[in-house]
Coordinates of all heavy atoms in Angstrom, one line a residue:
M1 N 41.7 4.6 -29.0 CA 41.7 3.5 -28.1 C 40.7 2.5 -28.6 O 39.6 2.8 -29.0 CB 41.3 4.0 -26.7 CG 41.5 2.9 -25.7 SD 41.3 3.6 -24.0 CE 42.8 4.6 -23.9
E2 N 41.1 1.2 -28.6 CA 40.2 0.2 -29.1 C 39.2 -0.3 -28.1 O 39.5 -0.2 -26.9 CB 41.0 -1.0 -29.6 CG 41.9 -0.6 -30.8 CD 42.6 -1.9 -31.4 OE1 42.1 -3.0 -31.2 OE2 43.7 -1.7 -32.0
A3 N 38.1 -0.9 -28.5 CA 37.1 -1.5 -27.6 C 37.8 -2.7 -27.0 O 38.7 -3.4 -27.5 CB 35.9 -1.9 -28.4
T4 N 37.3 -3.1 -25.8 CA 37.8 -4.2 -25.1 C 36.7 -5.1 -24.6 O 35.6 -4.5 -24.3 CB 38.8 -3.8 -23.9 OG1 39.3 -5.0 -23.4 CG2 38.1 -3.0 -22.9
T5 N 36.9 -6.3 -24.4 CA 35.9 -7.2 -23.9 C 36.4 -8.0 -22.6 O 35.7 -9.0 -22.2 CB 35.4 -8.3 -24.9 OG1 36.6 -9.0 -25.4 CG2 34.8 -7.6 -26.1
T6 N 37.5 -7.5 -22.0 CA 38.0 -8.2 -20.9 C 38.3 -7.2 -19.7 O 38.5 -6.1 -20.0 CB 39.3 -8.9 -21.2 OG1 40.3 -7.9 -21.5 CG2 39.2 -9.9 -22.4
A7 N 38.3 -7.8 -18.5 CA 38.6 -7.0 -17.3 C 40.0 -6.4 -17.4 O 40.2 -5.3 -17.1 CB 38.4 -7.8 -16.1
S8 N 40.9 -7.3 -17.9 CA 42.3 -6.8 -18.0 C 42.4 -5.7 -19.1 O 43.2 -4.7 -18.9 CB 43.2 -8.0 -18.3 OG 42.9 -8.6 -19.6
G9 N 41.7 -5.8 -20.1 CA 41.7 -4.7 -21.2 C 41.2 -3.4 -20.6 O 41.7 -2.3 -20.9
L10 N 40.1 -3.5 -19.9 CA 39.5 -2.3 -19.3 C 40.4 -1.7 -18.3 O 40.6 -0.5 -18.3 CB 38.1 -2.6 -18.7 CG 37.3 -1.5 -18.1 CD1 37.1 -0.4 -19.1 CD2 36.0 -2.0 -17.6
G11 N 41.0 -2.5 -17.4 CA 41.9 -2.0 -16.4 C 43.1 -1.4 -17.1 O 43.6 -0.3 -16.6
A12 N 43.6 -2.0 -18.1 CA 44.8 -1.4 -18.8 C 44.4 0.0 -19.5 O 45.2 0.9 -19.4 CB 45.3 -2.3 -19.9
A13 N 43.2 0.1 -20.0 CA 42.8 1.4 -20.6 C 42.7 2.5 -19.5 O 43.2 3.6 -19.8 CB 41.4 1.2 -21.3
I14 N 42.2 2.1 -18.4 CA 42.1 3.1 -17.3 C 43.5 3.5 -16.8 O 43.8 4.7 -16.6 CB 41.2 2.6 -16.1 CG1 39.8 2.5 -16.6 CG2 41.4 3.4 -14.9 CD1 38.8 1.8 -15.6
R15 N 44.4 2.5 -16.6 CA 45.8 2.8 -16.2 C 46.5 3.6 -17.2 O 47.1 4.6 -16.9 CB 46.5 1.4 -16.0 CG 48.0 1.7 -15.6 CD 48.8 0.3 -15.4 NE 48.7 -0.5 -16.6 CZ 48.1 -1.7 -16.7 NH1 47.5 -2.2 -15.7 NH2 48.1 -2.3 -17.9
E16 N 46.4 3.3 -18.5 CA 47.0 4.1 -19.6 C 46.5 5.6 -19.5 O 47.3 6.5 -19.6 CB 46.7 3.5 -20.9 CG 47.4 4.2 -22.1 CD 47.0 3.6 -23.4 OE1 47.0 2.4 -23.5 OE2 46.7 4.4 -24.4
R17 N 45.2 5.7 -19.4 CA 44.7 7.1 -19.4 C 45.1 7.9 -18.2 O 45.5 9.0 -18.2 CB 43.2 7.0 -19.5 CG 42.5 8.3 -19.5 CD 42.7 9.1 -20.7 NE 41.8 10.3 -20.6 CZ 41.8 11.3 -21.4 NH1 42.7 11.3 -22.4 NH2 41.1 12.3 -21.2
R18 N 45.1 7.2 -17.0 CA 45.5 7.8 -15.8 C 46.9 8.3 -15.9 O 47.3 9.4 -15.5 CB 45.4 6.8 -14.6 CG 45.9 7.3 -13.3 CD 45.8 6.3 -12.2 NE 46.6 5.1 -12.4 CZ 47.9 5.0 -12.4 NH1 48.7 6.1 -12.1 NH2 48.6 3.9 -12.6
R19 N 47.8 7.4 -16.4 CA 49.2 7.8 -16.5 C 49.4 8.9 -17.5 O 50.2 9.8 -17.2 CB 50.0 6.6 -17.0 CG 50.2 5.5 -15.9 CD 51.0 4.3 -16.4 NE 51.3 3.4 -15.3 CZ 51.8 2.2 -15.5 NH1 52.0 1.8 -16.8 NH2 52.0 1.4 -14.5
R20 N 48.7 8.9 -18.6 CA 48.8 10.0 -19.6 C 48.4 11.3 -19.0 O 49.0 12.3 -19.3 CB 47.9 9.7 -20.8 CG 48.1 10.6 -21.9 CD 47.3 10.3 -23.2 NE 47.9 9.0 -23.7 CZ 47.1 8.1 -24.3 NH1 45.8 8.3 -24.5 NH2 47.7 7.0 -24.8
L21 N 47.5 11.3 -18.0 CA 47.0 12.5 -17.4 C 47.9 12.9 -16.2 O 47.8 14.0 -15.6 CB 45.6 12.3 -16.8 CG 44.5 12.2 -17.9 CD1 43.2 11.8 -17.2 CD2 44.4 13.4 -18.7
G22 N 48.9 12.0 -15.8 CA 49.8 12.3 -14.7 C 49.2 12.2 -13.4 O 49.6 12.9 -12.4
I23 N 48.2 11.3 -13.3 CA 47.5 11.1 -12.0 C 48.0 9.8 -11.4 O 48.2 8.8 -12.0 CB 45.9 10.9 -12.3 CG1 45.4 12.2 -12.9 CG2 45.2 10.6 -11.0 CD1 44.0 12.0 -13.4
T24 N 48.3 9.9 -10.1 CA 48.8 8.7 -9.4 C 47.6 7.8 -9.0 O 46.4 8.3 -9.0 CB 49.5 9.0 -8.1 OG1 48.6 9.6 -7.1 CG2 50.7 10.0 -8.4
Q25 N 47.9 6.5 -8.7 CA 46.8 5.7 -8.2 C 46.2 6.2 -6.9 O 45.0 6.2 -6.7 CB 47.3 4.3 -7.9 CG 47.6 3.4 -9.1 CD 48.0 2.0 -8.8 OE1 48.5 1.7 -7.7 NE2 47.8 1.1 -9.8
D26 N 47.0 6.8 -6.0 CA 46.5 7.4 -4.8 C 45.5 8.6 -5.1 O 44.5 8.7 -4.5 CB 47.6 7.9 -3.9 CG 48.4 6.8 -3.2 OD1 47.7 5.8 -2.8 OD2 49.6 6.9 -3.1
D27 N 45.9 9.4 -6.1 CA 45.0 10.5 -6.5 C 43.7 10.0 -7.0 O 42.6 10.6 -6.7 CB 45.7 11.4 -7.5 CG 46.9 12.2 -7.0 OD1 47.0 12.4 -5.8 OD2 47.8 12.5 -7.9
L28 N 43.8 9.0 -7.9 CA 42.5 8.5 -8.5 C 41.7 7.9 -7.4 O 40.4 8.1 -7.3 CB 42.8 7.5 -9.6 CG 41.6 6.8 -10.2 CD1 40.7 7.8 -10.8 CD2 42.1 5.8 -11.3
A29 N 42.3 7.1 -6.5 CA 41.5 6.5 -5.4 C 40.8 7.5 -4.6 O 39.6 7.4 -4.3 CB 42.5 5.6 -4.6
A30 N 41.5 8.6 -4.2 CA 41.0 9.6 -3.4 C 39.8 10.3 -4.1 O 38.8 10.6 -3.5 CB 42.0 10.6 -3.0
S31 N 39.9 10.5 -5.4 CA 38.9 11.2 -6.1 C 37.6 10.4 -6.3 O 36.5 11.0 -6.4 CB 39.4 11.7 -7.5 OG 39.5 10.6 -8.4
I32 N 37.7 9.1 -6.1 CA 36.4 8.3 -6.3 C 36.0 7.6 -5.0 O 35.1 6.8 -4.9 CB 36.5 7.3 -7.4 CG1 37.6 6.2 -7.2 CG2 36.8 8.0 -8.7 CD1 37.5 5.0 -8.1
G33 N 36.8 7.9 -3.9 CA 36.4 7.4 -2.6 C 36.7 6.0 -2.3 O 36.0 5.3 -1.6
V34 N 37.9 5.5 -2.8 CA 38.3 4.1 -2.5 C 39.8 4.2 -2.1 O 40.4 5.2 -2.2 CB 38.1 3.1 -3.7 CG1 36.7 3.0 -4.1 CG2 39.0 3.6 -4.9
N35 N 40.3 3.0 -1.6 CA 41.8 3.1 -1.3 C 42.6 2.7 -2.6 O 42.1 2.1 -3.5 CB 42.1 2.3 -0.1 CG 41.9 0.8 -0.3 OD1 42.3 0.2 -1.3 ND2 41.4 0.1 0.8
R36 N 43.9 2.9 -2.5 CA 44.8 2.7 -3.6 C 44.8 1.2 -4.1 O 44.9 0.9 -5.2 CB 46.2 3.2 -3.3 CG 47.1 3.2 -4.6 CD 48.5 2.8 -4.3 NE 48.7 1.7 -3.5 CZ 48.7 0.4 -4.0 NH1 48.4 0.1 -5.2 NH2 48.9 -0.6 -3.1
K37 N 44.6 0.3 -3.1 CA 44.7 -1.1 -3.4 C 43.6 -1.5 -4.4 O 43.8 -2.3 -5.3 CB 44.5 -1.9 -2.1 CG 44.6 -3.4 -2.4 CD 44.5 -4.2 -1.0 CE 44.5 -5.7 -1.3 NZ 44.3 -6.4 0.0
V38 N 42.4 -0.8 -4.3 CA 41.3 -1.1 -5.2 C 41.7 -0.7 -6.6 O 41.4 -1.4 -7.6 CB 40.0 -0.4 -4.7 CG1 38.9 -0.4 -5.7 CG2 39.6 -0.9 -3.4
I39 N 42.3 0.5 -6.8 CA 42.7 0.9 -8.1 C 43.8 0.0 -8.7 O 43.7 -0.4 -9.9 CB 43.3 2.4 -8.0 CG1 42.2 3.4 -7.5 CG2 43.8 2.8 -9.4 CD1 41.0 3.4 -8.3
G40 N 44.7 -0.5 -7.9 CA 45.7 -1.4 -8.3 C 45.1 -2.7 -8.8 O 45.4 -3.2 -9.9
Q41 N 44.1 -3.2 -8.1 CA 43.4 -4.4 -8.5 C 42.6 -4.2 -9.8 O 42.6 -5.0 -10.7 CB 42.4 -4.9 -7.4 CG 43.2 -5.4 -6.2 CD 42.3 -5.7 -5.0 OE1 41.1 -5.2 -5.0 NE2 42.8 -6.5 -4.1
L42 N 41.9 -3.1 -9.9 CA 41.1 -2.7 -11.1 C 42.1 -2.7 -12.3 O 41.8 -3.3 -13.3 CB 40.4 -1.4 -10.9 CG 39.5 -0.9 -11.9 CD1 38.6 0.2 -11.3 CD2 40.2 -0.3 -13.1
E43 N 43.2 -2.0 -12.2 CA 44.1 -1.8 -13.3 C 44.8 -3.1 -13.7 O 45.2 -3.2 -14.8 CB 45.1 -0.7 -13.0 CG 44.6 0.7 -12.9 CD 45.6 1.8 -12.7 OE1 46.8 1.5 -12.4 OE2 45.2 2.9 -12.8
S44 N 44.9 -4.0 -12.7 CA 45.5 -5.3 -13.1 C 44.5 -6.3 -13.7 O 44.9 -7.4 -14.0 CB 46.2 -5.9 -11.8 OG 45.3 -6.3 -10.9
G45 N 43.3 -5.9 -13.8 CA 42.3 -6.7 -14.4 C 41.5 -7.7 -13.5 O 40.9 -8.6 -14.0
K46 N 41.5 -7.4 -12.2 CA 40.8 -8.3 -11.3 C 39.3 -8.3 -11.7 O 38.6 -7.2 -11.8 CB 40.9 -7.8 -9.9 CG 40.3 -8.7 -8.9 CD 40.6 -8.3 -7.5 CE 39.9 -9.3 -6.5 NZ 40.2 -9.0 -5.1
E47 N 38.8 -9.5 -12.0 CA 37.4 -9.6 -12.5 C 36.3 -9.4 -11.5 O 35.1 -9.3 -11.9 CB 37.3 -11.0 -13.2 CG 38.1 -11.1 -14.4 CD 37.8 -12.3 -15.3 OE1 36.8 -13.0 -15.0 OE2 38.5 -12.5 -16.3
T48 N 36.6 -9.3 -10.2 CA 35.6 -9.0 -9.2 C 35.4 -7.6 -8.8 O 34.7 -7.3 -7.9 CB 35.9 -9.9 -8.0 OG1 37.2 -9.5 -7.5 CG2 35.8 -11.4 -8.3
A49 N 36.0 -6.7 -9.6 CA 35.9 -5.2 -9.3 C 34.4 -4.9 -9.5 O 33.7 -5.3 -10.4 CB 36.7 -4.4 -10.3
H50 N 33.9 -4.0 -8.6 CA 32.5 -3.6 -8.6 C 32.3 -2.7 -9.8 O 33.1 -1.8 -10.1 CB 32.2 -2.8 -7.3 CG 32.2 -3.7 -6.1 ND1 31.0 -4.4 -5.7 CD2 33.2 -4.1 -5.3 CE1 31.3 -5.1 -4.6 NE2 32.6 -5.0 -4.4
V51 N 31.2 -2.9 -10.5 CA 30.9 -2.1 -11.7 C 30.9 -0.6 -11.4 O 31.4 0.2 -12.1 CB 29.6 -2.6 -12.3 CG1 29.2 -1.7 -13.4 CG2 29.7 -4.0 -12.8
G52 N 30.3 -0.2 -10.3 CA 30.2 1.2 -9.9 C 31.5 1.8 -9.8 O 31.8 2.9 -10.2
I53 N 32.5 1.1 -9.2 CA 33.8 1.6 -9.0 C 34.5 1.7 -10.3 O 35.2 2.7 -10.6 CB 34.6 0.7 -8.0 CG1 34.0 0.9 -6.6 CG2 36.1 1.1 -8.0 CD1 34.6 -0.1 -5.6
V54 N 34.4 0.7 -11.2 CA 35.0 0.8 -12.5 C 34.4 2.0 -13.3 O 35.2 2.7 -13.9 CB 34.7 -0.5 -13.3 CG1 35.2 -0.4 -14.7 CG2 35.4 -1.7 -12.6
L55 N 33.1 2.2 -13.2 CA 32.5 3.3 -13.9 C 33.0 4.7 -13.4 O 33.3 5.6 -14.1 CB 31.0 3.3 -13.9 CG 30.4 2.1 -14.7 CD1 28.9 2.0 -14.5 CD2 30.8 2.2 -16.2
R56 N 33.1 4.8 -12.0 CA 33.6 6.0 -11.4 C 35.1 6.3 -11.8 O 35.4 7.4 -12.1 CB 33.5 6.0 -9.9 CG 32.0 6.1 -9.5 CD 31.8 6.4 -8.0 NE 32.8 5.9 -7.0 CZ 32.6 4.9 -6.1 NH1 31.4 4.3 -6.1 NH2 33.5 4.6 -5.3
A57 N 35.9 5.2 -11.8 CA 37.3 5.4 -12.2 C 37.4 5.8 -13.6 O 38.2 6.7 -14.0 CB 38.1 4.1 -11.9
A58 N 36.7 5.2 -14.5 CA 36.7 5.5 -15.9 C 36.3 7.0 -16.1 O 36.9 7.7 -16.8 CB 35.8 4.6 -16.7
R59 N 35.2 7.4 -15.5 CA 34.7 8.7 -15.6 C 35.7 9.7 -15.1 O 36.0 10.8 -15.7 CB 33.4 8.9 -14.9 CG 32.6 10.2 -15.1 CD 31.2 10.2 -14.5 NE 31.1 9.6 -13.2 CZ 30.4 8.4 -12.9 NH1 29.9 7.7 -13.9 NH2 30.3 8.0 -11.7
A60 N 36.4 9.4 -14.0 CA 37.4 10.3 -13.4 C 38.6 10.6 -14.3 O 39.2 11.6 -14.2 CB 37.8 9.7 -12.0
V61 N 38.9 9.6 -15.2 CA 40.0 9.8 -16.1 C 39.5 10.2 -17.5 O 40.3 10.3 -18.4 CB 41.0 8.6 -16.1 CG1 41.6 8.4 -14.8 CG2 40.3 7.4 -16.6
G62 N 38.3 10.5 -17.6 CA 37.7 11.0 -18.9 C 37.4 9.9 -19.9 O 37.5 10.2 -21.1
L63 N 37.1 8.7 -19.5 CA 36.8 7.6 -20.4 C 35.3 7.3 -20.3 O 34.7 7.4 -19.2 CB 37.5 6.3 -20.1 CG 39.1 6.4 -20.3 CD1 39.7 5.0 -19.8 CD2 39.4 6.6 -21.7
N64 N 34.7 7.0 -21.4 CA 33.3 6.5 -21.5 C 33.4 5.0 -21.6 O 34.2 4.4 -22.3 CB 32.6 7.0 -22.7 CG 32.3 8.5 -22.6 OD1 32.0 9.0 -21.6 ND2 32.4 9.2 -23.8
V65 N 32.5 4.3 -20.9 CA 32.3 2.9 -21.0 C 30.9 2.6 -21.6 O 29.9 3.1 -21.1 CB 32.4 2.2 -19.6 CG1 32.1 0.7 -19.7 CG2 33.7 2.5 -19.0
G66 N 30.9 1.9 -22.7 CA 29.7 1.7 -23.4 C 29.4 0.2 -23.6 O 30.3 -0.6 -23.5
V67 N 28.2 -0.1 -24.0 CA 27.7 -1.4 -24.3 C 27.1 -1.4 -25.7 O 26.2 -0.6 -25.9 CB 26.7 -1.9 -23.2 CG1 26.2 -3.3 -23.6 CG2 27.3 -1.8 -21.8
E68 N 27.6 -2.3 -26.5 CA 27.0 -2.4 -27.8 C 27.0 -3.8 -28.3 O 27.8 -4.6 -27.8 CB 27.8 -1.5 -28.8 CG 29.2 -1.8 -28.9 CD 30.0 -0.8 -29.7 OE1 30.0 0.4 -29.5 OE2 30.7 -1.3 -30.7
P69 N 26.2 -4.2 -29.3 CA 26.1 -5.5 -29.7 C 27.4 -5.9 -30.5 O 28.0 -5.1 -31.1 CB 25.0 -5.6 -30.7 CG 24.3 -4.3 -30.6 CD 25.1 -3.3 -29.9
R70 N 27.8 -7.2 -30.3 CA 29.0 -7.6 -31.0 C 28.6 -8.0 -32.5 O 27.5 -8.3 -32.7 CB 29.6 -8.9 -30.4 CG 30.3 -8.6 -29.1 CD 31.0 -9.8 -28.6 NE 30.0 -10.6 -27.9 CZ 30.3 -11.8 -27.4 NH1 31.4 -12.4 -27.6 NH2 29.3 -12.5 -26.8
G71 N 29.6 -7.9 -33.3 CA 29.4 -8.3 -34.7 C 28.9 -7.3 -35.5 O 28.4 -6.9 -36.4

């Protein structure tokens, strides 16, 4: 999986991984304590998603989110 610098790219990565694992949006939402609408917004790239929720969702599907210098 390639690095991303956009909310839509991060949401797409979480969606792809979730689907690969056979997890529904409802299942993911329940596992991190939010409603399904939040997962839908996150996966569609909504830029106002809370960082903590994004990190919990990524962790729940087995993804690491890192920060590194560009270039």
Side-chain angles (χ1 to χ4, degrees):
M1 189 171 290
E2 294 185 27
T4 185
T5 59
T6 65
S8 61
L10 182 55
I14 291 171
R15 179 179 56 245
E16 179 183 320
R17 178 72 174 170
R18 175 185 60 74
R19 287 178 175 169
R20 187 174 294 147
L21 294 171
I23 300 169
T24 67
Q25 285 185 339
D26 285 324
D27 292 338
L28 179 55
S31 75
I32 66 169
V34 298
N35 67 42
R36 192 216 47 82
K37 182 178 177 181
V38 172
I39 300 302
Q41 291 172 341
L42 185 161
E43 290 184 352
S44 69
K46 185 172 182 181
E47 293 192 6
T48 57
H50 292 269
V51 173
I53 292 171
V54 173
L55 293 173
R56 288 194 330 248
R59 190 171 42 249
V61 296
L63 294 176
N64 291 322
V65 176
V67 178
E68 58 186 55
R70 285 187 280 173

